[in-house]
Amino acid sequence: MKHEVKEAGASVVVAFEGDIDLQTSPAAREALLEAVGMGKPVVVDLAAVSYIDSSGVASLVEALQTAKKGGQDLTLAAVSEGAMRVLKLARLDAVFTIHDRVDDAV
Amino acid sequence: MSETPEPQETEASPPRNVIEVRDLVTHYGDRMILKGISMDVHADEIMVIMGGSGSGKSTLLRHLMALEHHTSGTMRILGQDIDELNNVELVDLRQKLGVAFQGGALFSSMTVGENVMLPLFEHTKLDRKTMEIMTRMKLQVVELGGFENLMPSELSGGMIKRAAFARAIVMDPKILFCDEPSAGLDPVVASQLDDLILLLRDALGMTVVVVTHELESAFKIADRITVLDRGEILFIGTPDELRASDNQRIQNLLNRVAEDDTMDAETYLNRLTGDEPAYRPL
């Protein structure tokens, strides 16, 4: 898994690439919490994520809750079909704000 | 881009067959239990294994879960020949397999949440917060959201089965094994569990292997059915093909007709006197 953090307008975009699974989700979690720590709205770009397991989704949930406690937004963008299935199964599609494209979110 | 090291992947691209069994022979003591089983389990399918008592279906399930040694034959699980794996590789493989045991097998001294979280504690180094969220998510999936602080003794039979499913899927296994999931449940609760198995396959893309003797359940969930009879495969095919079979033993199974005990007199005498080996775990 790779990830990239960049600022876009007033937001911070965290773009992941590859699989987010039991092995890689700790790094994803760290990246997400660091981005939230920057104090700006966070957009998580999942366009290049081929697979995300429940540990990856749990990291997203924790980051969302941390952001909300700090009065920040954390939104998802370009969620793949597989990732969306996992989110829906856990009924998280109603918890996250999900945009089709990153440009719609920033 | 900062990069996290790619995990060591032991199997190549996912095989079409997630399980391949060829000429599997196994014994308990001197007694041959499985007599040359050959079968495949396809990715993303629900394979139901049926058979009467003593047919060998539970033994086959334990072998498919890589829990027992076989006498001869080969078995590949997720592309790996289990005879070629060392203990570390075997443990790694088993982490990709989820098991929902017949009785639930929850630890009575632990809360429901602790039971579900247990595999994560044992096999991962995830942050505690991540594990807690994963546990609550899986409890939500099996419709036990908010029940994590209850003790197993406070759950109904159906809820215990659901909690067992939550534990079985907490690590997102590639293959989920279910041993008699409907046993002991009323028809409504049993049907709900069938729906849950279908949901897990459809939503999470899991391959599911179910051992059951519940015909209604088998026909509802199975993509394919394997029928075992006295350690041999009697049938592998779709539910419709099974219904259409004119094999008398299959018709007996479908019509719940008790099989005649065809043990000959000498074998029976030998068994009574102990000259015929009894079942004995390895």
Side-chain angles (χ1 to χ4, degrees):
Chain A
M1 181 203 76
K2 299 175 183 177
H3 74 271
E4 183 179 32
V5 181
K6 60 185 178 187
E7 298 196 32
S11 301
V12 176
V13 177
V14 186
F16 291 104
E17 182 181 335
D19 291 352
I20 305 178
D21 55 22
L22 287 172
Q23 282 75 35
T24 60
S25 66
R29 174 179 179 269
E30 192 178 334
L32 287 165
L33 294 178
E34 276 183 17
V36 171
M38 295 168 73
K40 296 180 177 180
V42 176
V43 179
V44 184
D45 180 359
L46 296 173
V49 171
S50 44
Y51 171 76
I52 182 167
D53 72 2
S54 49
S55 68
V57 174
S59 299
L60 291 172
V61 170
E62 184 183 0
L64 173 64
Q65 185 73 322
T66 305
K68 281 192 168 185
K69 285 180 178 173
Q72 298 166 245
D73 287 333
L74 183 145
T75 57
L76 308 183
V79 180
S80 67
E81 189 180 336
M84 187 60 89
R85 277 203 304 268
V86 178
L87 291 174
K88 282 184 175 174
L89 184 64
R91 299 173 189 171
L92 290 168
D93 53 325
V95 173
F96 285 97
T97 301
I98 300 172
H99 298 281
D100 291 338
R101 300 178 309 143
V102 174
D103 289 347
D104 298 335
V106 295
Chain B
M1 285 267 180
S2 58
E3 185 163 349
T4 302
E6 291 293 332
Q8 290 291 317
E9 197 61 44
T10 48
E11 72 258 31
S13 57
R16 173 64 185 151
N17 292 332
V18 293
I19 298 176
E20 294 177 348
V21 181
R22 295 291 179 270
D23 304 318
L24 186 75
V25 174
T26 183
H27 291 76
Y28 282 160
D30 296 328
R31 178 179 291 276
M32 186 185 289
I33 306 298
L34 299 178
K35 304 170 182 173
I37 299 290
S38 294
M39 63 180 292
D40 297 325
V41 178
H42 302 161
D44 304 334
E45 78 170 345
I46 297 177
M47 168 65 87
V48 169
I49 299 173
M50 302 186 72
S53 297
S55 62
K57 60 184 188 297
S58 294
T59 300
L60 176 60
L61 185 71
R62 288 196 297 273
H63 281 273
L64 297 180
M65 294 188 292
L67 293 177
E68 296 204 29
H69 298 293
H70 50 263
T71 309
S72 63
T74 61
M75 191 157 63
R76 298 179 70 84
I77 302 174
L78 296 171
Q80 295 174 282
D81 186 333
I82 64 165
D83 287 328
E84 295 177 359
L85 301 181
N86 60 35
N87 285 341
V88 173
E89 292 167 331
L90 208 49
V91 169
D92 184 55
L93 173 65
R94 287 179 185 142
Q95 288 178 27
K96 297 171 185 170
L97 312 177
V99 186
F101 292 104
Q102 183 173 351
L106 301 183
F107 290 101
S108 59
S109 60
M110 300 167 69
T111 66
V112 171
E114 288 167 344
N115 267 285
V116 174
M117 203 187 301
L118 191 59
L120 298 172
F121 266 121
E122 287 185 335
H123 301 299
T124 78
K125 294 178 180 173
L126 294 172
D127 182 86
R128 167 88 189 197
K129 187 74 179 174
T130 305
M131 288 195 275
E132 289 176 351
I133 294 171
M134 291 172 72
T135 297
R136 294 190 190 107
M137 279 168 48
K138 295 301 163 70
L139 284 171
Q140 188 70 41
V141 167
V142 301
E143 299 186 351
L144 286 178
F147 286 71
E148 60 265 31
N149 292 327
L150 268 64
M151 303 302 287
S153 60
E154 298 176 276
L155 301 183
S156 68
M159 292 162 83
I160 286 174
K161 296 265 186 175
R162 287 180 175 277
F165 268 92
R167 185 173 63 186
I169 63 172
V170 75
M171 288 183 54
D172 297 321
K174 306 287 186 196
I175 309 173
L176 173 63
F177 295 95
C178 310
D179 187 10
E180 300 280 8
S182 306
L185 299 178
D186 69 61
V188 173
V189 177
S191 180
Q192 290 170 345
L193 269 187
D194 291 338
D195 291 338
L196 177 60
I197 291 171
L198 289 165
L199 177 72
L200 294 175
R201 190 277 305 272
D202 294 340
L204 295 180
M206 286 180 188
T207 302
V208 186
V209 179
V210 179
V211 163
T212 186
H213 62 270
E214 302 286 344
L215 288 171
E216 191 176 339
S217 172
F219 282 116
K220 179 176 177 180
I221 64 176
D223 294 305
R224 292 191 303 147
I225 296 173
T226 296
V227 179
L228 281 186
D229 183 46
R230 300 171 198 192
E232 296 176 300
I233 288 181
L234 193 59
F235 172 90
I236 297 180
T238 66
D240 285 344
E241 290 168 343
L242 183 65
R243 282 194 190 93
S245 171
D246 56 5
N247 181 294
Q248 188 57 51
R249 299 184 79 86
I250 288 176
Q251 285 305 314
N252 287 349
L253 177 76
L254 297 182
N255 295 316
R256 297 184 182 279
V257 175
E259 291 280 340
D260 291 335
D261 190 344
T262 55
M263 186 189 307
D264 62 65
E266 185 177 341
T267 302
Y268 182 44
L269 177 62
N270 288 339
R271 182 171 294 177
L272 291 176
T273 56
D275 293 329
E276 170 80 9
Y279 294 105
R280 189 174 63 211
L282 287 173

